[in-house]
Amino acid sequence: MDAKTESTRDAESERKEQDERKDELKDAPTVEIESTDQAKEQTETTEEEPLLGPQAPALPPRTRTQTPAQSSGPDRGLDARTHYRLKDMQWHDPLTNRTRDVKIVTQNANGPCPLIALTNALQLTGALQIVGSRRTISGDELTGMLADRLFQTDAGSVSETDVTQTLALLPTLAQGLDVDLRFAHVYDFSDSGPMQLFRAFNVDLVHGWVVDAEQEQKVAGVLVGECSNSYEGAVEFILAADEVSCGQVVAHNICDADVRGADAELSEKQLATVRSAIEVNAWLEHTATQLTSCGLRMLGTMLPTSHVCVLFRNNHFSTLYKRGPGELFLLCTDDAVAGDSRIVWESLRDVHQTTSQFFDSQFRLLRVGGDYVQQVEGREDATADAQEAAQIDEDYA
């Protein structure tokens, strides 16, 4: 036998042995082995987050794989535009001095803020309650609950006109609500259907877009005299003057000489109107957050202590709570924090909210960073840094 034939037989024999070993492995029982990385990941997802300070109150555990914006189970199949997630909170009712469970309605899209803010305000005052272990609720259900509440109101406390207007507005709340605020004080709105709606439910609608009659006398005079002291009146005044001046009001970075030179046919009265409209337009742009330092001070002083109401600001409706003098808190209803019961309140301390802080249901200060929320021992007074907030407002002025 030559060397070539011997080599071929050896190769065939080796392949045969390999095939036999493969068949043995196929018949062997399967053994699952957990890798070190997998075990480490599993351990990390079940451990509690560390606390910032050694004396901080204990927090419920939260895994790293869990985020507030996630939803699981049957909620995933619901339409986010018509269904809203519910958030559990412990509310110490200042009227009864008792603590009770409240299911806060959260917002996941633009539009339904008046429906959500009104519902949450009524829940905090005890006039409405969402019961059960449910995690979501539809806009239609909220509308039905509000209608039922309206019919339960004592006879004579709400006029028939207000009831009729409110019933007509309720189905539209999920799409928004048009209001015309007036710049005199925080309760000042043009009387219309929306005002009748809040009046029917005995919930105050307030704002902080107030002109300072002492510090801004000229603008305040124009707003009162030419604009009916309302936002819609100011817009109409600006548009009329802009048309007369061929667009000079909107392009308000011009001097009086430029205004006069824009159209030689303008009379002195028209020129005065255009100049006034330029100042009003500049003031509206400067206070574009729809909250002024004057308005913020009024909210802190004019609202009663332990008062729940609805704040209109930035074309948005929020549930507002005044805890004490100068202590203003906005209810956190963003869907992004719906899964975290610790984040409940956000302080309102300056017009740009640059000094705002987050608090839990007991108004204990929270430190929010990344995926961690930590509680700080003790309660921080919302007015403690008032000078800092005022300085920030001046810097933006």
Side-chain angles (χ1 to χ4, degrees):
M1 184 181 298
D2 56 20
K4 183 176 181 181
T5 303
E6 184 69 25
S7 176
T8 302
R9 288 183 176 181
D10 291 342
E12 291 177 353
S13 176
E14 184 176 353
R15 283 197 298 269
K16 186 177 180 181
E17 292 178 358
Q18 290 177 350
D19 292 339
E20 291 176 353
R21 285 197 296 269
K22 289 180 180 180
D23 292 336
E24 291 176 357
L25 290 174
K26 289 180 180 179
D27 297 333
T30 302
V31 179
E32 295 183 357
I33 301 176
E34 184 180 28
S35 68
T36 304
D37 292 340
Q38 289 175 331
K40 181 179 180 181
E41 181 180 357
Q42 183 177 1
T43 302
E44 289 180 350
T45 56
T46 56
E47 63 181 8
E48 292 187 6
E49 302 290 2
L51 294 174
L52 270 184
Q55 301 300 323
L59 296 179
R62 206 171 97 203
T63 62
R64 296 181 189 272
T65 57
Q66 188 180 22
T67 59
Q70 279 185 325
S71 62
S72 58
D75 297 343
R76 289 185 179 229
L78 298 177
D79 189 345
R81 295 169 298 180
T82 57
H83 289 75
Y84 316 112
R85 297 176 67 192
L86 298 174
K87 175 177 179 175
D88 294 319
M89 71 167 285
Q90 290 280 316
W91 168 242
H92 185 77
D93 195 333
L95 298 178
T96 62
N97 200 30
R98 294 182 178 179
T99 300
R100 53 186 172 85
D101 295 328
V102 174
K103 289 187 175 294
I104 295 301
V105 184
T106 64
Q107 181 172 350
N108 49 24
N110 292 329
C113 58
L115 174 64
I116 292 174
L118 177 59
T119 300
N120 287 333
L122 290 172
Q123 288 199 95
L124 294 179
T125 59
L128 200 67
Q129 184 181 12
I130 299 175
V131 298
S133 59
R134 60 189 306 165
R135 295 184 299 175
T136 61
I137 193 168
S138 69
D140 290 340
E141 288 177 288
L142 292 180
T143 300
M145 291 177 63
L146 291 174
D148 290 341
R149 173 59 191 171
L150 186 63
F151 287 121
Q152 293 171 6
T153 306
D154 294 336
S157 61
V158 182
S159 69
E160 184 177 347
T161 301
D162 284 356
V163 171
T164 302
Q165 290 280 358
T166 298
L167 291 176
L169 278 175
L170 282 180
T172 69
L173 288 184
Q175 287 76 48
L177 192 65
D178 292 329
V179 296
D180 181 24
L181 59 81
R182 298 164 62 88
F183 302 110
H185 58 78
V186 296
Y187 291 103
D188 202 6
F189 289 85
S190 297
D191 196 16
S192 58
M195 292 308 300
Q196 293 172 322
L197 179 142
F198 284 97
R199 187 165 56 234
F201 287 103
N202 196 29
V203 173
D204 287 331
L205 177 64
V206 299
H207 70 89
W209 204 359
V210 179
V211 62
D212 193 328
E214 294 183 359
Q215 301 295 326
E216 301 167 309
Q217 294 183 6
K218 191 172 183 181
V219 173
V222 176
L223 288 173
V224 173
E226 305 291 341
C227 309
S228 302
N229 208 26
S230 73
Y231 175 73
E232 289 187 1
V235 171
E236 292 175 0
F237 179 67
I238 291 170
L239 293 178
D242 192 60
E243 183 177 356
V244 170
S245 64
C246 300
Q248 297 302 307
V249 174
V250 176
H252 59 80
N253 55 339
I254 55 179
C255 63
D256 289 350
D258 295 328
V259 174
R260 184 182 295 276
D263 192 339
E265 300 297 325
L266 291 180
S267 65
E268 288 296 329
K269 183 178 180 180
Q270 288 174 322
L271 286 173
T273 299
V274 171
R275 295 186 187 109
S276 297
I278 290 174
E279 292 184 5
V280 170
N281 189 49
W283 183 82
L284 292 179
E285 290 187 356
H286 179 68
T287 59
T289 62
Q290 299 181 356
L291 179 65
T292 64
S293 297
C294 179
L296 187 59
R297 289 193 301 271
M298 283 190 176
L299 288 171
T301 57
M302 294 182 67
L303 296 181
T305 299
S306 302
H307 187 62
V308 177
C309 58
V310 173
L311 173 70
F312 177 75
R313 181 199 176 195
N314 270 341
N315 298 320
H316 180 75
F317 295 84
S318 304
T319 304
L320 178 70
Y321 177 59
K322 179 185 174 181
R323 192 177 186 219
E327 290 185 305
L328 301 172
F329 295 92
L330 298 169
L331 188 64
C332 296
T333 58
D334 194 292
D335 185 72
V337 297
D340 196 328
S341 60
R342 294 166 291 187
I343 304 177
V344 177
W345 299 102
E346 180 182 4
S347 60
L348 180 60
R349 297 160 55 178
D350 66 273
V351 298
H352 298 280
Q353 288 187 266
T354 53
T355 61
S356 293
Q357 295 173 307
F358 292 96
F359 295 79
D360 67 4
S361 61
Q362 300 179 43
F363 296 94
R364 292 177 298 185
L365 179 64
L366 300 171
R367 290 180 182 172
V368 182
D371 195 35
Y372 295 89
V373 179
Q374 305 293 347
Q375 288 176 327
V376 179
E377 184 182 18
R379 184 183 71 84
E380 176 168 312
D381 192 340
T383 61
D385 296 329
Q387 292 182 348
E388 176 188 355
Q391 182 61 50
I392 291 176
D393 288 344
E394 291 180 5
D395 293 341
Y396 279 93

